[in-house]
Amino acid sequence: MRIGTPREIKNHEYRVGLTPAGVRELTAHGHEVLIETGAGLGIGISNDDYVAAGARIVETAAEVFDQADMVVKVKEPQPVECAMLREGQVLFTYLHLAPDPKQAQALLDSGCIAIAYETVTDRSGGLPLLAPMSEVAGRMSIQAGAHAMEKAAGGNGVLLGGVPGVPAADVVILGGGVVGYNAARIAVGMGARVTILDRSLARLNWLDIVFDGRLATLYSTRDAVERCVNSADLVIGAVLVPGAAAPKLVTRDMLPKMKTGSVIVDVAIDQGGCFETSRPTTHQDPTYVVEGIVHYCVANMPGGVAHTSTFALTNATLPFVLALAGKGYRQALVDDPHLCAGLNVHRGQVTYDAVATALGYAYVPAATVLAI
């Protein structure tokens, strides 16, 4: 198979879909790899590094899309990239389609086979291709929030960990999954007073054991969320419904009751955000203020630490890339139901239920389009 990786073009996105190590693995299995010139420069990988691993460098993204049987990326294809996709071409990347009707329609119109990192599953019910970036985003959320709390950044001027004689900040984390756990690790480590809310009693019990009483756990109800955010200096939105739009846990009406200058970091923004007032921002212009509350809603947070993120992501995606390339997409999906869960769009049909429900499309099961 011929696999292509273009340079990412989303604002301040420096990650890359394949590393030289991945190229070497693919070429050792007899595949051809095309890399757009400069694709890895943002994390210090040169064209020469790719060539030494066996890749062929092409000058434009158009050449990648024109020649590749499968395109391996990081972020969802931008409109100019969607326009280059063709019928029967495999796209393997993050998609986050539920809150993005324009991208969904563009993928459907292209006739491509779009497999989303964020809905690939594993035997334990986890999301192995989302987890590495959730770990990064969770840890970043605290450092981003701590910076936004500084007075010069528009925040309330509270130091996250406090100092002797002055209380630490109150941090509230909505969701105890991978993002929430990693956010809590950093916040607790910095000395903040942390409360984490979730609807899984088993998860809350696990968190209580892991943190040995160093944070508070609460069962998530509307009342509990409202009480906690009212007293918080920093709120982390870490909820996830796989493939679906995030639920709106904090409404606009709650904001006037919050502390002026407090900060919310919406890690769920890729899935539409879990704060009613959230809208996507960029690393270049990451925050805005609504009702005196600072909102940080960067839609590609892990791109800010692109070196770490690229290697963490490609370590997880490479086995699936090898399977898709080695078997062809159809056989790879038939053989692996966990990879098959990643199939969101197939030749003009929506094959992921949560996406179809969110966007109003007819849902066609993957088993039907693959004739399993």
Side-chain angles (χ1 to χ4, degrees):
M1 183 180 284
R2 183 176 291 160
I3 301 101
T5 292
R7 179 175 57 83
E8 296 292 327
I9 59 174
K10 191 163 185 172
N11 180 277
H12 282 274
E13 182 55 74
Y14 306 105
R15 289 174 290 180
V16 62
L18 283 174
T19 63
V23 171
R24 188 174 180 186
E25 289 293 325
L26 286 163
T27 55
H29 283 79
H31 305 296
E32 183 181 357
V33 181
L34 310 177
I35 304 289
E36 183 185 354
T37 186
L41 291 179
I43 59 168
I45 300 174
S46 69
N47 289 345
D48 289 343
D49 293 330
Y50 280 116
V51 170
R56 177 161 62 91
I57 303 298
V58 296
E59 291 300 316
T60 66
E63 292 175 81
V64 172
F65 281 87
D66 181 60
Q67 298 179 41
D69 303 305
M70 176 168 62
V71 175
V72 178
K73 282 176 39 61
V74 177
K75 289 304 293 176
E76 70 279 358
Q78 303 303 292
V80 66
E81 295 174 312
C82 288
M84 292 188 283
L85 288 164
R86 66 177 186 274
E87 185 171 356
Q89 189 172 44
V90 178
L91 173 67
F92 194 34
T93 189
Y94 287 117
L95 294 177
H96 301 293
L97 291 179
D100 194 348
K102 290 184 178 179
Q103 185 205 167
Q105 189 59 57
L107 295 180
L108 290 167
D109 291 343
S110 75
C112 77
I113 294 94
I115 304 169
Y117 292 163
E118 72 272 11
T119 61
V120 172
T121 58
D122 61 24
R123 292 180 181 178
S124 64
L127 302 170
L129 306 190
L130 186 62
M133 297 303 92
S134 295
E135 291 168 351
V136 171
R139 297 180 186 208
M140 284 187 71
S141 69
I142 299 302
Q143 67 183 47
H147 176 68
M149 287 165 60
E150 295 176 15
K151 201 66 181 175
N156 57 9
V158 174
L159 180 65
L160 198 69
V163 293
V166 182
D170 285 308
V171 176
V172 172
I173 302 171
L174 305 177
V178 177
V179 171
Y181 164 69
N182 279 276
R185 279 190 62 183
I186 302 305
V188 168
M190 294 179 70
R193 297 180 296 188
V194 179
T195 301
I196 192 164
L197 292 86
D198 200 278
R199 290 201 166 189
S200 168
L201 291 175
R203 186 65 176 182
L204 292 175
N205 181 65
W206 181 84
L207 289 164
D208 186 65
I209 293 170
V210 167
F211 285 99
D212 195 23
R214 290 176 294 157
L215 53 68
T217 59
L218 277 179
Y219 183 77
S220 182
T221 63
R222 292 177 185 271
D223 182 66
V225 169
E226 186 166 357
R227 283 189 291 105
C228 286
V229 300
N230 285 354
S231 61
D233 297 293
L234 173 61
V235 182
I236 306 297
V239 297
L240 174 69
V241 180
K248 306 300 183 187
L249 298 185
V250 176
T251 66
R252 179 181 287 271
D253 292 343
M254 294 181 187
L255 298 190
K257 302 173 186 176
M258 295 176 65
K259 297 179 183 178
T260 299
S262 59
V263 174
I264 58 179
V265 176
D266 199 341
V267 184
I269 192 64
D270 277 325
Q271 295 294 144
C274 62
F275 303 109
E276 188 177 29
T277 46
S278 292
R279 57 175 172 80
T281 61
T282 67
H283 287 287
Q284 187 174 3
D285 189 16
T287 63
Y288 59 93
V289 178
V290 178
E291 300 282 358
I293 308 304
V294 180
H295 291 56
Y296 179 102
C297 304
V298 174
N300 60 328
M301 285 181 65
V305 287
H307 188 278
T308 297
S309 296
T310 292
F311 287 94
L313 176 61
T314 55
N315 286 343
T317 58
L318 182 58
F320 295 100
V321 174
L322 287 165
L324 289 164
K327 298 179 179 182
Y329 86 87
R330 186 186 178 282
Q331 194 60 51
L333 297 180
V334 170
D335 289 351
D336 186 350
H338 302 295
L339 178 57
C340 192
L343 185 64
N344 279 216
V345 173
H346 184 277
R347 298 180 184 269
Q349 296 178 302
V350 176
T351 54
Y352 198 83
D353 195 7
V355 171
T357 299
L359 299 180
Y361 289 106
Y363 165 58
V364 183
T368 299
V369 300
L370 298 172
I372 299 175

